[in-house]
Amino acid sequence: MDYGLKDPSRKLPFWIPLDWAFLIIALSSLAHADLDETGSGESAYRPRPVNPPISVSEADRLGHARMLQTLQTLRERDGRENMYYGSDRIEAARKRLAETTSQRERLAMWLQLAYVELQLGYETDALETLNEIEAFMENHADPFGVRDIAEARFRFAMIHLRHGETQNCCLRHNVDSCLLPIRGGGVHTESEGSRNAIKEFERIARIAPKNSSLYLESIWLWNLAAMTLGEHPLGVPEAHRIEAASFLSNDAFPRLMNIAPELGLDTSSLCGSVIADDFNNDGYIDLMVGSWDLREPLKFYLNNGTGGFDDRSDAAGLTGMLGGLNLVQGDYNNDGRIDVYVTRGAWLRQNGQHPDSLLRNNGDGTFTDVTFSAGLAQAHHPSQTAAWADFDLDGWLDLYVGCESSVENPAPSKLFHNNGDGTFTDVARSAGVTNNYFAKGVTWGDYNNDRYPDLYVSNLGEWNRLYRNNGDGTFKDIALSAGVADVVASFPTWFWDIDNDGQLDLFVASFDCDIEQVARHYLGHTVSGGLPRVFRGTRNGNFQDATFKMGLAEPTLPMGSNFGDIDQDGYLDMVLGTGSPDFKMIMPNKVYHNQAGQRFSDVSEASGMSHLQKGHGVAIADFDADGDQDIFMQMGGAVTVDKYFDAFYENPGFGNNHVSVELVGTESNRFGVGSRIRVDIEENGRSRSVFRWVNSGGSFGSNPLRQQIGIGKAKRIKRLEIYWPTTDQTQSFENVPVNRIIRITEGEQKISHMKIDTAPFTHISTN
């Protein structure tokens, strides 16, 4: 099949009105001055070259309305039938309980009913059900063995523990809530929930076999519960105590403060994702936030440039645009504006046949759902992961959607080839990338440096795929020979360069973990599973496992996660949002600081980001234009009672320098996705290079496509190179000033320098 490779008839539709042409000429004329050491050529930020705002046609309006109606119908059904938060689950649990005659099975069904009541937010009912179960167990003690009793007590403990979280962390939420180690404002003022939970954990510790899963899980949660009461460590018997030092970072790191409440961004929702990017081309980074809950619409927060965010969700046309476990951005029509792809139906198997959405940015502050007219709605498969790339180098972004295929619900993944006219064609079968496994993460990267982006697929329950791009519209899975296949229960993944050697490395998170492994780790025991994998890329196209060498042999169970250069030293750090749908999966979110490409240091506690609530979409960006990267985390679990408040961590700054590079493709896709940036610097008398590839970061949460590159203490960039794989051309610039936002247009030998005002978060607006 011909995908239009290098077809001159499919150049970008770079039609420019006369007034835009004058603007581009003006920007070009400023380029030489912008390279002046004094910055005397600084100009106000000007929007990147874009086509005029799109006039929404009648067909567009009908397609948008069709999607809203489809989602509304799904919302009504999903609210009843969803296996995580559907209201029918209570009646089903009660029915099973009524039909059960065996005393042991009746106990199990009764405990399940209490758990479902809690999951759906009926906490008072769940506590009343516990009282009934307690009386039942006292009157029917003979049928129950030690294991039955221990497991029942563990369920009791979890219900009490979760009720304590609701009464304190949720109803009395503050910036210290749920930060490990819990202290200050995080200590519970309503103590009943944690005290009742501790009583149950004490019972389990007495009867459960030492070193059993139930014992270790109870010890871990007992220590956390004691912290919520301000009674750790001495409040836990020495035999069951996890020492306080175990929760502290080994290396110093400045604390990032969660200021989401001050910014009006602490929305409470279930699990979801986030995009951080400049949606209106004013230079400031905005936010779009989603939740997988089909009762909740997308939220759109416009950065007002004065220290706050304005909620423009309704004005943007997102009213009724429900659900979205993951969001990924890309300019599919090459008009210079950020569009959005929304995935839905994840984890629901045959009940997850929900349509995804392609939201076109109209350029006037609104979005239109063009999924149906774009040809992206031919088949609805459950998905939570997708990624944009120009896989055939024709100048248009294509889209890979990883679907969750299972025996009961075959769901081949999709590779949507961009036809260049606003429509897509699914070529996954002919390209050989249907995967046919339960995909949880996908990422593109040219690991073998042949210009063509390759595709890595992270699967849950099966070996992973590394699809090598053959350059002719087809791919070959070479994961086994490349050494990156045997991660059989993984989740988010990404390509990155951890040591600045110019060769892409690979991160693959493990989802093969339980609280037992977390407890073993903090107790200093041997851990048998749940470790992430870091693979170093080699020049011969293979990978070497560097997990232990890089200091990452720790069970973390990441869901949402991403990477960025938090301290602007030129080496990429990462943030992991942890957890799973089960209440007991209480573990800290993680921050790993890259130590000059040699190892990673866990600075979760020192950074103030060791949050115990479940972390999902992560975006790392310079929201206030002060030169360092802040972090937004979308929080919350899968069930109704597990909602939590999103977090926004303000970076205090590290005193390092940077350069922010915004690309404008002409032959290549408009934002230069897939292009490589090389920055050569001299720092403290030593020359080194920093490499970045233009993408949105990890596979669960999206960073801006504008690349902010830390350069440490270097005061000038000796050489900056942009490699455009579409044309196989390299642009080079020398003596580039630092601490600036620069725009580089493909084929032009001038740099346009943009200046926007810092938006200090001390000036708060929450309109």
Side-chain angles (χ1 to χ4, degrees), residues 517-531:
Q517 300 300 329
V518 176
R520 288 184 182 278
H521 172 74
Y522 279 91
L523 288 166
H525 299 175
T526 300
V527 176
S528 60
L531 305 182

Side-chain angles (χ1 to χ4, degrees), residues 124-383:
T124 301
D125 292 347
L127 293 170
E128 291 176 355
T129 301
L130 285 191
N131 292 332
E132 297 178 37
I133 297 172
E134 188 79 68
F136 172 78
M137 292 177 66
E138 290 177 358
N139 294 328
H140 302 83
D142 292 342
F144 308 126
V146 170
R147 183 175 181 83
D148 296 323
I149 295 172
E151 290 181 347
R153 290 297 170 193
F154 189 81
R155 284 292 180 106
F156 278 34
M158 290 312 305
I159 291 173
H160 287 302
L161 193 63
R162 178 63 226 192
H163 184 60
E165 287 183 40
T166 300
Q167 294 299 309
N168 294 274
C169 306
C170 297
L171 296 181
R172 295 170 175 81
H173 173 62
N174 63 72
V175 295
D176 291 331
S177 297
C178 296
L179 276 183
L180 185 70
I182 298 169
R183 51 198 169 194
V187 175
H188 290 188
T189 56
E190 296 290 331
S191 63
E192 182 181 13
S194 288
R195 292 208 181 278
N196 286 334
I198 288 173
K199 290 177 183 177
E200 302 298 346
F201 292 136
E202 288 175 333
R203 293 179 181 180
I204 296 168
R206 287 196 299 268
I207 63 176
K210 300 297 185 288
N211 211 39
S212 66
S213 297
L214 205 58
Y215 174 83
L216 290 166
E217 291 170 352
S218 297
I219 294 304
W220 167 254
L221 295 170
W222 182 355
N223 278 265
L224 297 187
M227 280 190 203
T228 68
L229 301 175
E231 298 174 358
H232 188 273
L234 298 181
V236 181
E238 186 175 359
H240 307 307
R241 184 185 305 158
I242 299 176
E243 295 301 328
S246 302
F247 303 106
L248 304 180
S249 300
N250 293 326
D251 295 320
F253 202 81
R255 189 176 183 84
L256 284 70
M257 296 302 298
N258 178 12
I259 62 170
E262 303 167 50
L263 296 173
L265 295 176
D266 58 335
T267 304
S268 177
S269 62
L270 297 184
C271 53
S273 191
V274 58
I275 294 171
D277 217 318
D278 182 7
F279 285 95
N280 64 346
N281 294 331
D282 67 350
Y284 294 100
I285 303 300
D286 314 303
L287 285 166
M288 185 176 287
V289 185
S291 164
W292 89 317
D293 190 345
L294 281 175
R295 299 164 295 185
E296 298 178 354
L298 296 176
K299 304 295 289 184
F300 180 49
Y301 299 101
L302 203 64
N303 190 329
N304 58 33
T306 61
F309 292 82
D310 299 329
D311 187 344
R312 296 290 180 84
S313 308
D314 294 337
L318 298 178
T319 304
M321 196 58 61
L322 306 173
L325 184 56
N326 203 356
L327 316 173
V328 291
Q329 85 271 38
D331 181 6
Y332 80 95
N333 54 0
N334 278 329
D335 68 351
R337 291 183 281 258
I338 297 293
D339 310 301
V340 175
Y341 191 79
V342 184
T343 64
R344 299 187 179 97
W347 297 109
L348 303 180
R349 299 183 182 267
Q350 64 268 30
N351 293 324
Q353 297 178 18
H354 302 168
D356 292 347
S357 283
L358 176 61
L359 302 180
R360 185 188 65 205
N361 186 336
N362 297 322
D364 59 0
T366 68
F367 296 85
T368 298
D369 191 305
V370 295
T371 312
F372 295 105
S373 61
L376 297 172
Q378 301 303 314
H380 302 332
H381 296 317
S383 173

